[in-house]
């Protein structure tokens, strides 16, 4: 029989247990597909005594993941510990140094240290695979690295944090405010240990950094991403955007411009009728645009035991078949420095203002926009309160810098009651 591929699995949380279950349940199927048995040799986790609902007695136990990574009787180190430093990084480095390929679900580790680790992997003649790190069960890394390898990639974008999408779509459908839904997510266990990773846009930005690197041949540059979370999104904006034909999404977008690589993770409006606009609940969606393929839309579960373990196993099966693709789709030493650029590409914007309801207020707003060089596409005003009138404006395409001149003008005028809200409308 062909030699088995032997795994060492570090981290037995939801995903680790999911991987063990697949390997136990589908041993024959995996062997039939890859031509060799896939076996677990040893596992490691913090608590050896915990009942995880799966039989681990056939596997050696290591309390130290670095010791697991160095074992001679494993071929692939599966890192499911998490965290950008600490044991995750130490054990991945140990695995590479001792000649193991690595499969990981750790987006933070690769977004921050991906270049260094990819170079280490290459120097050792090994690879790091990380399908599970981006958009859970959606095979987006494989699509971008392999299926779309013949394309010059024009733009990659997506909704890649299920928790944020859950909150935003529940705001829309249940008439609940952000705070109530944050509490609901906490009760349901949807939030990361540090919730700011979710609602602050960081988790999704880690994922975007990895996609950008593959798409544009650049070193992962998490620090170059403009990040804005969903904490400031109000029920009023959800409703007003809906009324104008849009949905608000935490959207990650990466594209090249004349200024460099623009990467942004921020709440944006997208048309309600678009695939992104119709994305409900915790589901993820990634949209890839290439010069030949035009547009590919991938949709699926972005988290959870089964979907994430499914992605890990896709990578494990590739390694069992002998497929060795460089970490970011090309040799790590050939990746370019990403010249990070703040958003310069023009787009329409949604602007919401509360105007003092007095003669000439609207004329003043129109003049400020006109003077800044911002042209109005659509405007709507109804639902006055006692003293203020909500005004909704959709601009023609403009840059954020130009719009900021108008926003500055509003703050100096005596007609705007509250801080204006301005959100980019992404053309999708
Ligand atoms: N917390 C993430 C989400 C899943 O809500 O999509 C892990 O990246």
């Amino acid at each position: 029989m062909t030699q088995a591929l032997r795994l060492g699995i570090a981290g037995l949380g939801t995903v680790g247990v999911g991987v063990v279950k697949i390997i136990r349940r589908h041993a024959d199927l995996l062997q039939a597909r890859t031509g060799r048995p896939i076996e677990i040799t040893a596992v490691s986790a913090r608590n050896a005594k915990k009942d995880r609902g799966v039989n681990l007695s056939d596997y050696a136990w290591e309390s130290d993941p670095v010791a697991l990574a160095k074992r001679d009787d494993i071929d692939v180190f599966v890192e499911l510990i998490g965290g950008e430093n600490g044991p995750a990084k130490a054990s991945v480095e140990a695995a590479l140094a001792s000649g193991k390929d690595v499969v990981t679900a750790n987006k933070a580790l690769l977004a921050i240290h991906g270049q260094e680790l990819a170079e280490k992997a290459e120097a050792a003649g090994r690879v790091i695979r990380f399908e599970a790190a981006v958009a859970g069960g959606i095979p987006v890394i494989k699509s971008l690295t392999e299926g779309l390898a013949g394309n010059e990639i024009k733009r990659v974008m997506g909704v890649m944090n299920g928790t944020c999408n859950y909150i935003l779509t529940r705001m829309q459908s249940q008439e609940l405010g952000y705070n109530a839904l944050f509490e609901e997510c906490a009760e349901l266990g949807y939030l990361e240990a540090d919730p700011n990773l979710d609602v602050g846009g960081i988790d999704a930005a880690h994922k975007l950094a990895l996609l950008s690197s593959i798409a544009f041949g650049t070193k992962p540059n998490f620090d170059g991403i403009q990040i804005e979370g969903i904490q400031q999104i109000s029920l009023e904006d959800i409703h007003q955007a809906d009324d104008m034909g849009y949905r608000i999404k935490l959207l990650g977008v990466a594209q090249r411009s004349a200024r460099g690589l623009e990467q942004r993770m921020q709440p944006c409006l997208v048309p309600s009728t678009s695939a992104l606009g119709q994305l409900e609940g915790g589901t993820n969606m990634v949209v890839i645009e290439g010069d030949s393929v035009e547009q590919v839309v991938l949709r699926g579960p972005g988290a959870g035991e089964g979907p994430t373990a499914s992605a890990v196993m896709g990578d494990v099966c590739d390694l069992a078949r002998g497929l060795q693709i460089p970490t970011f789709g090309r040799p790590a030493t050939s990746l370019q420095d990403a010249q990070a650029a703040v958003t310069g590409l023009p787009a329409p914007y949604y602007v919401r203002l509360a105007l003092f309801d007095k003669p000439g207020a609207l004329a003043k707003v129109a003049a400020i926009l006109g003077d800044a060089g911002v042209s109005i596409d659509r405007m709507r005003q109804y639902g006055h309160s006692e003293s203020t009138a909500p005004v909704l404006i959709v601009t023609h395409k403009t840059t954020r810098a130009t719009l900021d001149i108008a926003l500055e003008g509003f703050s100096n005028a005596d007609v705007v009651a509250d801080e204006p809200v301005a959100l980019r409308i992404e053309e999708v």
Side-chain angles (χ1 to χ4, degrees):
M1 185 167 46
T2 318
Q3 262 193 338
L5 184 81
R6 301 162 305 170
L7 310 183
I9 302 177
L12 291 171
T14 310
V15 183
V17 166
V19 170
V20 173
K21 284 183 189 166
I22 292 179
I23 290 172
R24 294 184 81 90
R25 188 168 74 238
H26 287 321
D28 293 344
L29 179 67
L30 294 169
Q31 180 168 356
R33 287 201 171 131
T34 65
R36 59 196 287 203
I38 294 176
E39 294 172 356
I40 301 170
T41 305
V43 295
S44 163
R46 264 199 299 234
N47 183 351
K49 300 219 169 75
K50 186 172 166 183
D51 179 7
R52 295 176 167 86
V54 65
N55 182 4
L56 302 170
S57 61
D58 298 342
Y59 320 133
W61 183 274
E62 292 280 359
S63 51
D64 176 8
V66 172
L68 173 65
K70 289 180 177 167
R71 283 178 73 113
D72 289 337
D73 56 359
I74 69 164
D75 306 303
V76 176
F77 179 65
V78 182
E79 186 275 303
L80 303 171
I81 304 168
E84 69 187 65
N85 288 305
K89 182 162 186 270
S91 58
V92 165
E93 286 172 338
L96 296 172
S98 57
K100 318 294 188 326
D101 291 316
V102 171
V103 174
T104 179
N106 192 333
K107 62 228 73 162
L109 174 74
L110 293 181
I112 310 291
H113 304 294
Q115 181 63 27
E116 170 198 336
L117 292 172
E119 286 182 19
K120 282 189 172 149
E122 252 164 62
R126 309 306 339 160
V127 292
I128 303 172
R129 303 304 304 151
F130 57 94
E131 186 65 77
V134 181
I138 304 178
V140 59
I141 303 296
K142 205 165 182 58
S143 299
L144 202 50
T145 315
E146 298 173 48
L148 300 173
N151 287 261
E152 183 187 340
I153 302 300
K154 298 295 184 188
R155 181 169 64 159
V156 181
M157 60 189 163
V159 169
M160 294 180 283
N161 184 274
T163 305
C164 288
N165 203 53
Y166 179 86
I167 291 176
L168 293 171
T169 51
R170 295 262 302 164
M171 283 174 86
Q172 171 100 35
S173 62
Q174 303 297 311
E175 297 279 326
L176 290 169
Y178 170 82
N179 291 332
L181 285 162
F182 181 90
E183 291 310 321
E184 183 178 309
C185 283
E187 275 160 32
L188 292 168
Y190 286 1
L191 292 168
E192 299 281 336
D194 172 3
N196 193 44
L197 290 176
D198 286 314
V199 296
I202 298 162
D203 165 83
H206 285 146
K207 296 166 184 168
L208 185 68
L210 302 179
L211 294 185
S212 292
S213 175
I214 301 171
F216 303 109
T218 49
K219 297 176 185 171
N221 183 10
F222 173 73
D223 291 338
I225 303 179
Q226 293 171 256
I227 305 175
E228 200 186 314
I230 62 164
Q231 301 98 322
Q232 305 305 324
I233 299 297
S234 67
L235 209 43
E236 171 153 24
D237 284 313
I238 296 272
H239 290 322
Q240 302 288 17
D242 182 35
D243 203 48
M244 302 289 268
Y246 298 103
R247 294 275 190 273
I248 301 179
K249 298 287 169 194
L250 178 68
L251 189 67
V253 182
Q255 65 194 126
R256 277 191 189 284
S257 71
R259 299 151 168 250
L261 179 61
E262 294 193 6
Q263 302 180 89
R264 49 186 183 272
M265 179 59 64
Q266 59 189 185
C268 284
L269 273 64
V270 295
S272 309
T273 51
S274 64
L276 281 163
Q278 295 193 353
L279 189 71
E280 296 285 323
T283 310
N284 281 196
M285 182 173 282
V286 181
V287 179
I288 304 168
E289 293 169 349
D291 60 346
S292 298
V293 74
E294 297 177 2
Q295 194 181 67
V296 171
V297 179
L298 301 164
R299 177 184 187 282
E305 178 185 304
T308 315
S310 158
V312 169
M313 287 310 298
D315 285 339
V316 167
C317 288
D318 271 357
L319 294 173
R321 292 171 172 131
L323 191 62
Q324 296 270 325
I325 293 175
T327 307
F328 294 108
R330 62 179 86 182
T333 46
S334 75
L335 294 168
Q336 306 290 306
D337 282 314
Q339 162 101 33
V342 292
T343 306
L345 293 166
Y349 279 83
Y350 156 100
V351 179
R352 177 169 63 82
L353 302 165
L355 289 194
F356 289 120
D357 202 359
K358 60 183 185 183
L362 199 53
K364 225 174 202 177
V365 162
I368 290 169
L369 285 167
D371 290 347
V374 179
S375 177
I376 297 171
D377 177 28
R378 286 190 286 148
M379 192 169 77
R380 209 208 60 197
Q381 176 188 324
Y382 57 69
H384 296 224
S385 71
E386 251 179 36
S387 57
T388 62
V391 172
L392 274 303
I393 296 169
V394 171
T395 72
H396 280 295
K397 277 189 183 184
T398 184
T399 63
R400 180 70 207 206
T402 306
L403 184 67
D404 281 344
I405 296 170
L407 295 177
E408 176 71 22
F410 296 150
S411 64
N412 297 328
D414 55 357
V415 293
V416 178
D418 287 331
E419 188 72 15
V421 173
L423 296 169
R424 185 178 170 95
I425 302 175
E426 193 69 31
E427 297 189 298
V428 297

